[in-house]
Amino acid sequence: MIHGNPWPRALVRWALSAGVLALAGAAAGQLVLFLFLGTLACLLWQLRNVIRLENWLRKNHGFKPPDSRGLWGGIFGALYKMQRRRRARLQRLRTILHAFRESIDAVPDGVVALREPREMQWWNDAAERLLGIRWPQDRGQRLDNLYRNPDFAEFIGDSPDETRQVTLPSPVDEQIMLEIRVVPYGREQRLLIARDVSRLHKLERMRRDFVANISHELRSPLTVVHGLAETLAEQDAESATDQRRMLGLVQQQTRRMARLVEDLLLLSRLETTRRPTTPKQVDVPALLRGLCDEAKAANAEREHDIRLEIIDECSLRADEAELRSAFSNLLFNAINYTPQKGSITLRWWCDAAGAHFCVADTGIGIAPEHIPRLTERFYRVDRGRSAKTGGTGLGLAIVKHILQHYGARLGIESRPGLGSTFCCHFPAETVCLHRNG
Amino acid sequence: MVDEKRFTQHISRQYNEELARILNRVMRMGGLVEQQLADALLALTQGDSVRGERVVASDYEVNAAEVELDEECIYILARRQPAASDLRLIMAVIKTITDLERIGDEAERVASMALHLLDEDRRRSPMAQMQALGRQVRHMLAGALDAFARMDAEKAVQVAEQDIEADRQYEGIMRELINAMMDDVVAVPRAMDIIWSARALERIGDRSRNICEYVVYFVHGKNVRHTSLAQMAKELADDRRK
């Protein structure tokens, strides 16, 4: 801000004073003395103001600078205006900051700003509530010193994985489940977001328990019905073929229901166990050869040409039963959806990316719009056809869950009318290259 | 950059980092032990054998953490030759990791016993009281570690005082089990097992109290080991008044 230039007036003032003093001095015959005294007075005046300014700056006496006149008055006045501007600016910043904090506090999820992976800089009310951190004493504290759950420590590590999220119990209350993720921003800054998903978690658990319980409950009645039908069929071996046919149907349907229940139970078990049960080294080539032979024997009438290409003799660190389940499901599908005299090729190889198992068939194929939904439970492309093949609709869901246990991925490619290829891609960590005994 | 308020100002920023890292590692070990205790209690009271086995299998991790931290502390003592509050911090850390490792052992003992416990015996045992005692000592351990992380001596004293309640609960369980043993000699083996577990839990409470005492020592430079709780609180109050 421009204030008036004080120099012209000051110079005029000095010139006039000097002139008056000179005249008075000349009249008194002491020109030099008068001029000297005048200069001394001027100097003392400057000194006085300098002292007041210096005092004010050093001892910070109040908001307002001292009062004065003339040149110094202008200087002090300008300083005062500067002070006022600064105060107004601080006030504006404070208001903005306050509004910002209010909005952050309104966010129902816990938000914590982390500097250099784990040190907390600031956070909102929800974070206090969900994570048990206290303002201001925990400022600068590392979050994993207070939230000591080993899974959380592993997640946040030295450089937290910004693509993952974990669901863990809150340190304040074990009943509260938090979904936690970390988002980068700025330079070396990260935002940790903790969302309360307790309700969702509980619903998920209820659903799983429900499915498991229902399946368990259905098992026994089904066995009973199946057994009775079998007994009746054996007893009336010579009786009316109609009755035998009907009993045969009963047996077939109960067998189908039993398979469905078993698959549901398997899926339920796969969903609840977090880690695979004791992974051992599994001789995959041998497993595949066995599966191939079984498939050829069981489906001889379809006259499929089933081929097995083992390109590398590598193995996997996994649970054998789970792998067998996954591979046989894919093979079963290939056989069922390939017409008479078609060909099915199984391929197994390992490379730098990991291990790969592919089943390629010359079957009826799958239209592209169905492929994203294929691994959903009970999803059917064509209900009529699937009912005849006797599948449960859970096969691919089971495969997907098993693969998830190993961090593996299912790839599906298909051309309607020409065939499909289903591939399992296992990550490099699960592969063992040498076969030990 | 580490918040320098927490440690005395050092010329070497790396030194600050080293201290912060040691504190963090201790907390990590603490978290591991807390998890072991929680799982062992579930194995005991709910018969969760998967967790029980995991506790037994993971005990080596706790021991490994103690060895590693011990070495780091010795390294700092040798290299940095800390003085005053830094020295007290390292001393507190060394003592705390010993207690944490012992707590881990006690948890493993509880889990082991839980795996041998038959369901019918579980039903006839005072599991509700064991659960309550378990909750109490878990609370104490968490409180002790929080107090250490925050260097909060007042909280440490509060947590130490919870040991009185833990001891009381333990005595209650003992009384009930002794009565059961006197009534029926067949119940003796099962009751003995539960007594071992209750004792293990009570010892965990004691060790958590030890950790609280180390916190007071570190923060105030007063050694309150083997003093009564009343005395500890008084020392703290005196300090505050000064």
Side-chain angles (χ1 to χ4, degrees):
Chain A
M1 209 161 104
I2 308 168
H3 66 278
N5 192 346
W7 287 104
R9 285 230 299 278
L11 286 170
V12 164
R13 235 194 345 265
W14 288 350
L16 277 173
S17 324
V20 165
L21 278 170
L23 283 171
Q30 298 275 41
L31 181 61
V32 175
L33 181 64
F34 270 58
L35 282 176
F36 171 70
L37 287 171
T39 313
L40 192 63
C42 186
L43 201 61
L44 285 172
W45 170 251
Q46 305 300 331
L47 193 63
R48 179 167 176 262
N49 279 300
V50 166
I51 290 171
R52 286 166 84 200
L53 176 64
E54 198 277 333
N55 259 346
W56 178 74
L57 283 172
R58 181 165 39 97
K59 295 187 189 154
N60 208 8
H61 280 169
F63 173 71
K64 224 167 131 335
D67 261 330
S68 195
R69 287 181 312 182
L71 185 61
W72 281 99
I75 291 175
F76 286 142
L79 277 174
Y80 178 57
K81 285 203 189 94
M82 261 175 64
Q83 285 285 80
R84 293 229 332 252
R85 278 204 303 274
R86 211 182 80 193
R87 174 184 269 184
R89 211 178 325 141
L90 270 172
Q91 188 57 33
R92 272 200 307 274
L93 274 175
R94 231 177 261 132
T95 315
I96 292 176
L97 201 63
H98 185 73
F100 173 69
R101 288 227 69 173
E102 278 202 330
S103 64
I104 281 278
D105 277 338
V107 173
D109 298 344
V111 177
V112 182
L114 299 172
R115 187 175 47 183
E116 226 192 287
R118 294 166 284 173
E119 276 169 37
M120 308 189 284
Q121 273 187 296
W122 53 261
W123 53 88
N124 66 351
D125 284 345
E128 289 232 348
R129 200 174 23 94
L130 295 171
L131 296 170
I133 47 188
R134 288 190 219 134
W135 182 271
Q137 58 180 140
D138 288 334
R139 199 153 168 260
Q141 176 75 275
R142 291 195 191 189
L143 182 52
D144 56 346
N145 279 355
L146 296 171
Y147 188 7
R148 293 181 290 268
N149 185 321
D151 293 326
F152 177 71
E154 197 195 308
F155 167 69
I156 201 159
D158 276 321
S159 54
D161 186 350
E162 282 134 16
T163 56
R164 266 177 63 205
Q165 56 203 47
V166 283
T167 306
L168 297 168
S170 154
V172 179
D173 180 355
E174 281 186 320
Q175 304 299 322
I176 302 177
M177 293 303 281
L178 299 174
E179 187 183 83
I180 301 174
R181 39 197 285 248
V182 172
V183 175
Y185 76 99
R187 216 172 5 169
E188 292 249 326
Q189 313 264 63
R190 284 180 185 81
L191 217 54
L192 178 130
I193 304 175
R195 168 175 298 186
D196 186 346
V197 292
S198 317
R199 203 167 149 267
L200 198 68
H201 196 252
K202 204 186 290 186
L203 283 172
E204 266 293 298
R205 203 181 48 200
M206 276 168 58
R207 180 183 71 81
R208 278 201 299 265
D209 287 346
F210 176 71
V211 170
N213 287 336
I214 287 272
S215 311
H216 255 294
E217 296 294 322
L218 284 175
R219 237 185 188 172
S220 319
L222 273 176
T223 320
V224 170
V225 171
H226 185 80
L228 285 174
E230 220 168 8
T231 316
L232 284 170
E234 278 168 18
Q235 279 179 347
D236 304 309
E238 298 88 36
S239 79
T241 38
D242 249 4
Q243 195 163 315
R244 241 181 329 131
R245 192 177 53 84
M246 286 194 283
L247 284 171
L249 267 173
V250 172
Q251 278 182 284
Q252 186 197 59
Q253 294 303 315
T254 49
R255 221 177 292 132
R256 191 163 158 225
M257 281 193 277
R259 265 204 304 267
L260 193 58
V261 165
E262 288 306 317
D263 275 354
L264 275 172
L265 281 171
L266 175 61
L267 252 180
S268 158
R269 188 176 65 78
L270 286 171
E271 275 183 316
T272 45
T273 46
R274 283 187 312 149
R275 276 180 270 263
T277 47
T278 47
K280 288 200 270 291
Q281 192 167 344
V282 179
D283 186 351
V284 176
L287 173 72
L288 290 175
R289 284 186 200 110
L291 272 176
C292 224
D293 293 336
E294 278 169 35
K296 283 188 204 156
N299 296 289
E301 72 276 7
R302 295 193 209 219
E303 294 177 66
H304 284 148
D305 174 22
I306 303 182
R307 240 178 284 193
L308 175 61
E309 288 173 20
I310 304 218
I311 300 173
D312 297 302
E313 289 282 346
C314 47
S315 315
L316 279 181
R317 218 184 331 263
D319 180 276
E320 179 159 352
E322 286 184 357
L323 280 188
R324 177 188 297 276
S325 193
F327 294 161
S328 67
N329 259 304
L330 291 177
L331 186 52
F332 178 79
N333 279 353
I335 290 173
N336 277 331
Y337 292 99
T338 304
Q340 204 84 338
K341 295 209 173 88
S343 81
I344 299 171
T345 314
L346 295 107
R347 208 172 285 128
W348 168 254
W349 77 100
C350 299
D351 56 26
H356 312 269
F357 170 68
C358 282
V359 183
D361 64 48
T362 56
I364 56 174
I366 309 157
E369 63 263 20
H370 295 293
I371 293 188
R373 297 192 63 184
L374 221 50
T375 53
E376 269 177 45
R377 293 189 205 195
F378 303 119
Y379 185 80
R380 299 298 209 182
V381 171
D382 175 354
R383 282 206 175 267
R385 193 205 162 85
S386 310
K388 283 202 218 77
T389 60
T392 55
L394 292 173
L396 283 178
I398 290 175
V399 172
K400 187 181 83 167
H401 262 96
I402 292 176
L403 290 183
Q404 262 173 12
H405 269 184
Y406 301 102
R409 177 176 73 79
L410 179 67
I412 307 174
E413 274 167 20
S414 184
R415 301 252 288 281
L418 290 174
S420 320
T421 306
F422 285 72
C423 287
C424 303
H425 303 287
F426 292 88
E429 316 67 92
T430 50
V431 181
C432 328
L433 289 168
H434 310 286
R435 287 202 289 163
N436 314 326
Chain B
M1 205 154 64
V2 177
D3 190 334
E4 274 113 13
K5 274 202 269 62
R6 297 187 175 274
F7 307 105
T8 54
Q9 288 279 34
H10 295 120
I11 302 164
S12 166
R13 200 180 76 171
Q14 196 181 10
Y15 186 18
N16 256 350
E17 263 296 320
E18 284 171 10
L19 289 176
R21 196 173 38 236
I22 284 202
L23 187 61
N24 186 242
R25 291 259 181 89
V26 174
M27 290 303 131
R28 242 189 226 213
M29 185 183 174
L32 189 58
V33 172
E34 282 178 295
Q35 174 89 294
Q36 292 281 82
L37 179 56
D39 284 347
L41 282 167
L42 278 171
L44 178 66
T45 56
Q46 322 273 45
D48 188 338
S49 55
V50 170
R51 274 184 220 251
E53 276 167 23
R54 194 156 67 209
V55 172
V56 174
S58 308
D59 190 44
Y60 80 93
E61 281 178 39
V62 176
N63 299 341
E66 188 202 10
V67 168
E68 196 187 315
L69 265 168
D70 227 12
E71 280 173 10
E72 277 211 39
C73 288
I74 292 180
Y75 173 81
I76 286 229
L77 285 173
R79 182 137 177 251
R80 302 287 184 185
Q81 280 145 25
S85 67
D86 289 342
L87 181 58
R88 291 205 299 276
L89 173 64
I90 300 291
M91 291 307 292
V93 166
I94 292 179
K95 294 188 180 202
T96 299
I97 59 187
T98 307
D99 277 281
L100 282 178
E101 193 269 328
R102 296 279 189 275
I103 294 178
D105 281 344
E106 303 288 355
E108 196 257 343
R109 208 161 294 158
V110 171
S112 258
M113 197 237 68
L115 288 172
H116 296 310
L117 193 64
L118 299 168
D119 276 331
E120 59 209 56
D121 288 337
R122 181 169 286 118
R123 260 175 274 134
R124 266 181 272 154
S125 309
M127 276 308 155
Q129 287 99 306
M130 290 294 277
Q131 214 160 23
L133 176 57
R135 260 200 305 272
Q136 179 77 358
V137 300
R138 273 187 74 190
H139 201 239
M140 283 180 69
L141 180 56
L145 290 169
D146 279 346
F148 201 127
R150 293 191 166 117
M151 300 176 191
D152 184 351
E154 255 126 49
K155 174 78 193 269
V157 172
Q158 276 171 26
V159 173
E161 281 166 358
Q162 290 172 18
D163 196 32
I164 300 173
E165 173 64 19
D167 287 344
R168 195 188 62 78
Q169 286 178 351
Y170 167 66
E171 274 154 30
I173 295 176
M174 284 290 280
R175 258 197 310 268
E176 185 169 327
L177 287 169
I178 288 175
N179 283 335
M181 285 197 286
M182 288 197 295
D183 281 339
D184 181 9
V185 77
V186 165
V188 169
R190 163 185 57 94
M192 288 303 289
D193 277 344
I194 306 284
I195 287 179
W196 289 140
S197 301
R199 182 99 183 92
L201 290 178
E202 191 266 334
R203 269 206 287 258
I204 291 177
D206 285 343
R207 296 210 179 267
S208 302
R209 178 188 156 161
N210 288 354
I211 296 177
C212 294
E213 286 165 6
Y214 306 147
V215 174
V216 172
Y217 163 68
F218 159 56
V219 173
H220 289 280
K222 283 179 187 282
N223 200 330
V224 289
R225 296 278 286 138
H226 312 297
T227 61
S228 70
L229 287 164
Q231 185 68 14
M232 209 198 301
K234 182 174 170 296
E235 296 258 353
L236 226 63
D238 283 343
D239 232 25
R240 238 178 292 135
R241 233 175 285 130
K242 268 197 229 136

